[in-house]
Amino acid sequence: MALKDRVPVRTPTGRSRDADDAEAIAVYRERLLAELDRTELAALSHDQRRLRLERRMGDVLSLEGPVLGDRDRAAIIRRVVDDALGLGVLEPLLADPSITEIMVNGPHDVFVERDGRLQRHPMSFSSDEHLLQTIDRIVSAVNRRVDESSPMVDARLATGERVNVVIPPLALDGPSLTIRRFPRPFRLGELVGRGSLDAALVDLFGALVRARLSVVVSGGTGTGKTTFLNALSGLVPGHERIVTIEDAAELSLQQEHVVRLESRPANVEGRGQVSIRDLVRNSLRMRPDRIIVGEVRGGEALDMLQAMNTGHEGSLVTVHANAAEDALGRIETLAAMSELALPVDVLRDQVNTAVDVVVQLSRGSDGSRRVVEVAALVSRHREPYALAPLATFEAAPPGSDRVVAGRWVHHELPEAVVRRLLAAGEAVPASWGRS
């Protein structure tokens, strides 16, 4: 049974032109697919399939369709082929490289994120039923199910985009669909060109990663934590064995010896769940040189801290927090969510021993994402958290164009960090005033 038949949909008061168009597109799609050999079609590449369908659809319109101008004819062919091969009206948005997020709040409210800013998009679905058909196509492709009994689901498109779906009765204004797109992997040098950090910080991060200091990347939603973590991981020496652990696979490491693990939700019977925590525990048996966790958000924080404290220095992890100091408190809180009722001072000891550096990211009012603080954790054992700034971003007064600009101020490295670098055979970067 299709999703549209399992979920009650709102009945529109009148028939819209969009609804008529959608019905016509559906008729053309079925007519097109009925005339093609699907076995032969499956043997073709995606581009070849699209070309074959476009040609055949052109023939169908010439024989049976209305008289149309070239522009309208091309638009109908594209919509029919998009609906036959992909996600229909979403396909043009997914093909636009400038769009990083697609948010559908019911059939008629579609927003996209470009350059860090949200904007309404003129495209829309014809009805709740039309949107539910698209959602059903997404979730069924990854063997997931969404209906009234399970109205929320996370999934991933074949091209890697992360998808979240919420449907009625939880979504009051119609089905909600959010698609998070991930740009191609950037190197730190490329992020310098985009104003996310300066060249001196690249030298510092290179020395810290090669010297196996454990780094926490912190920031709010949409600040570029995954993009930065991916770039930072490129500094790990190629001969090391890396295990990545993620809720939805987003990292794209370039090293040769990488094992990628992804958590799995429970099935419709409530069985088969494999959590981030399960994967962190299992990774310790896989002889990793480095463990990279896409994001800690629960009791797995304690297992991650213990891994860092038992021979897996140099691991990388991200966490949601609005400041570097807040990141430490959040890790402590998450570690307390494990089934072990450890005292606060014991958890603080774990954090102080495991974490070496916190990198704080932020998104400016102009949509730009950048490193705003790099700090070393200098407190010891059960002492209150104490951070020593290594670099801070000082924003200049905003101009008429509202573009955020400024400079990074470099601070002297703590002795403990200097000793770690020298012991690993790394020179202290020149911008930090040491030779």
Side-chain angles (χ1 to χ4, degrees):
M1 183 184 295
L3 177 59
K4 64 183 178 66
D5 300 318
R6 302 196 303 267
V7 178
V9 297
R10 299 172 298 174
T11 303
T13 55
R15 189 166 184 84
S16 67
R17 179 178 176 182
D18 283 344
D20 291 334
D21 288 347
E23 184 175 308
I25 295 299
V27 170
Y28 280 132
R29 183 193 65 205
E30 294 305 319
R31 176 80 171 81
L32 176 65
L33 294 178
E35 293 193 4
L36 293 169
D37 185 338
R38 299 197 183 193
T39 303
E40 179 184 353
L41 205 61
L44 302 177
S45 68
H46 182 273
D47 291 341
Q48 290 172 328
R49 283 197 297 270
R50 174 170 284 277
L51 184 60
R52 178 74 62 86
L53 290 176
E54 287 175 348
R55 287 176 177 172
R56 185 58 193 139
M57 187 60 218
D59 294 339
V60 170
L61 282 179
S62 297
L63 293 173
E64 305 175 11
V67 177
L68 299 169
D70 291 343
R71 185 173 180 178
D72 291 338
R73 178 186 175 89
I76 287 182
I77 291 175
R78 179 175 181 176
R79 284 192 60 184
V80 172
V81 174
D82 283 344
D83 216 37
L85 290 180
L87 301 179
V89 295
L90 290 179
E91 286 296 322
L93 303 185
L94 292 170
D96 187 342
S98 68
I99 294 177
T100 54
E101 194 130 14
I102 302 168
M103 291 145 282
V104 181
N105 308 333
H108 306 302
D109 294 320
V110 178
F111 295 83
V112 299
E113 182 187 67
R114 280 192 178 98
D115 299 323
R117 295 185 177 184
L118 297 181
Q119 53 189 250
R120 178 182 285 273
H121 197 277
M123 67 81 64
S124 65
F125 293 84
S126 60
S127 62
D128 283 358
E129 183 181 51
H130 185 201
L131 176 53
L132 287 170
Q133 287 176 337
T134 301
I135 290 173
D136 200 22
R137 187 174 298 184
I138 292 173
V139 299
S140 62
V142 290
N143 295 320
R144 301 284 174 87
R145 179 185 175 91
V146 58
D147 53 27
E148 280 190 290
S149 63
S150 180
M152 297 187 297
V153 69
D154 288 311
R156 193 171 72 247
L157 299 182
T159 47
E161 291 87 352
R162 189 171 64 193
V163 179
N164 176 265
V165 172
V166 185
I167 63 172
L170 299 188
L172 302 181
D173 299 318
S176 171
L177 172 66
T178 307
I179 301 177
R180 167 74 63 88
R181 304 186 65 196
F182 301 103
R184 65 175 179 82
F186 289 101
R187 297 185 181 275
L188 284 178
E190 293 176 284
L191 295 182
V192 172
R194 299 171 69 91
S196 298
L197 69 165
D198 63 7
L201 279 173
V202 176
D203 295 335
L204 177 64
F205 289 137
L208 296 176
V209 171
R210 290 190 298 270
R212 302 184 66 83
L213 275 73
S214 295
V215 179
V216 172
V217 178
S218 167
T221 300
T223 55
K225 295 186 298 297
T226 300
T227 298
F228 185 81
L229 179 63
N230 206 69
L232 194 64
S233 67
L235 300 173
V236 176
H239 65 272
E240 295 188 12
R241 176 175 169 85
I242 306 170
V243 177
T244 68
I245 300 170
E246 301 175 84
D247 199 33
E250 303 166 12
L251 297 173
S252 179
L253 275 65
Q254 305 303 310
Q255 288 87 343
E256 181 181 9
H257 200 166
V258 178
V259 180
R260 304 170 66 216
L261 304 179
E262 183 182 56
S263 65
R264 184 178 69 186
N267 60 20
V268 293
E269 299 174 349
R271 301 175 182 174
Q273 180 181 19
V274 180
S275 67
I276 292 286
R277 186 168 193 189
D278 296 329
L279 296 177
V280 171
R281 287 176 169 176
N282 187 77
S283 69
L284 302 179
R285 308 184 184 100
M286 300 173 66
R287 199 268 179 213
D289 290 309
R290 310 259 185 166
I291 300 174
I292 300 178
V293 180
E295 181 184 347
V296 290
R297 59 183 69 178
E300 68 272 5
L302 179 60
D303 299 281
M304 188 70 213
L305 292 173
Q306 292 176 334
M308 292 177 176
N309 285 326
T310 54
H312 298 91
E313 300 93 345
S315 294
L316 310 173
V317 64
T318 74
V319 66
H320 270 82
N322 294 324
E325 188 172 0
D326 294 345
L328 302 173
R330 177 157 171 76
I331 291 174
E332 181 183 302
T333 300
L334 294 174
M337 293 170 64
S338 68
E339 73 275 5
L340 299 177
L342 297 178
V344 171
D345 56 348
V346 174
L347 295 175
R348 185 176 297 122
D349 186 13
Q350 290 282 316
V351 175
N352 276 329
T353 307
V355 177
D356 297 309
V357 175
V358 180
V359 180
Q360 183 67 32
L361 306 179
S362 180
R363 181 166 64 174
S365 58
D366 60 349
S368 59
R369 300 168 172 89
R370 60 174 47 86
V371 175
V372 294
E373 183 180 5
V374 182
L377 185 57
V378 294
S379 48
R380 302 283 294 169
H381 301 300
R382 302 186 180 188
E383 298 173 354
Y385 297 127
L387 290 168
L390 307 184
T392 52
F393 179 75
E394 292 187 354
S400 58
D401 57 2
R402 311 300 295 176
V403 173
V404 178
R407 67 187 184 96
W408 282 270
V409 178
H410 306 146
H411 305 276
E412 185 175 356
L413 299 184
E415 284 296 333
V417 174
V418 173
R419 288 196 299 269
R420 290 281 299 275
L421 294 180
L422 296 178
E426 292 291 333
V428 176
S431 296
W432 273 260
R434 302 257 183 166
S435 58

